[in-house]
Amino acid sequence: MAFKHGCILVLGGAKSGKSSYALDTCNRSGKKRVFLATAQAGDLEMEERIRKHRAERGPAWSTREEPIEITEIIRREDGKDTIILVDCLTLWLSNLFMKYKDDNDAIERVVESFVGQLSNIRGSVVAVSNEVGTGIVPDNALSRRYRDRAGMLNQQVAAVSRKVVAVFAGIPLVLKEESFD
């Protein structure tokens, strides 16, 4: 189904095919494409991953690299003729944890602002996020806090999304789909 505006959430585990599915969705949209990268190159291996992903997207994409202020980038880039791919929300959440440490209220304010922006999008956003709650219970408080917050973030984004897709072994499974009239 083609869509005119709204948010699509794409969930999956590591190397599940979720980013490929999201890229394909955006490439088929016919809209101006903006890639909003939340990753930061902390080492040579990550630098190589980022370089490879840039090359895979090609010149039709504009790239914005922003580890924290993604709501502002979406607000600035949003338009009826634009589709923004945010990859990925769990890296963004990790960046928020690094910036705000134990200040849960600050993290909540930033997440609420982001979800509010998604609720009022004029164009389209495809948000990629890891499903981190299907593994073992983490052995430390910080990891449990992160896992729980990531699960809540996914629920919040799913609630305002018009479509939610889980990708397993490269196979997309539609969990929610509303009309894109």
Side-chain angles (χ1 to χ4, degrees), residues 4 14 26 45 62 70 75-76 83 88 92 94 97 99 106 114 117 125 138 168 178:
K4 295 179 182 175
C26 294
E45 187 267 341
S62 298
I70 67 172
R75 188 175 291 119
R76 189 168 53 238
I83 190 163
C88 95
W92 172 63
S94 178
F97 268 59
K99 178 176 181 175
F114 170 69
Q117 181 64 35
V125 171
F168 297 99
E178 297 175 359

Side-chain angles (χ1 to χ4, degrees), residues 26 31-36 57 60-64 73 77 82-86:
C26 294
K31 295 182 175 201
K32 174 184 155 192
R33 289 161 279 175
V34 176
F35 189 88
L36 177 46
R57 285 193 302 273
W61 286 83
S62 298
T63 300
R64 306 293 181 268
I73 300 290
E77 297 289 338
T82 302
I83 190 163
I84 302 166
L85 173 51
V86 181

Side-chain angles (χ1 to χ4, degrees), residues 151-170:
M152 291 303 299
L153 173 61
N154 288 343
Q155 288 183 52
Q156 289 172 283
V157 174
V160 299
S161 293
R162 294 186 145 194
K163 185 173 185 178
V164 179
V165 178
V167 181
F168 297 99

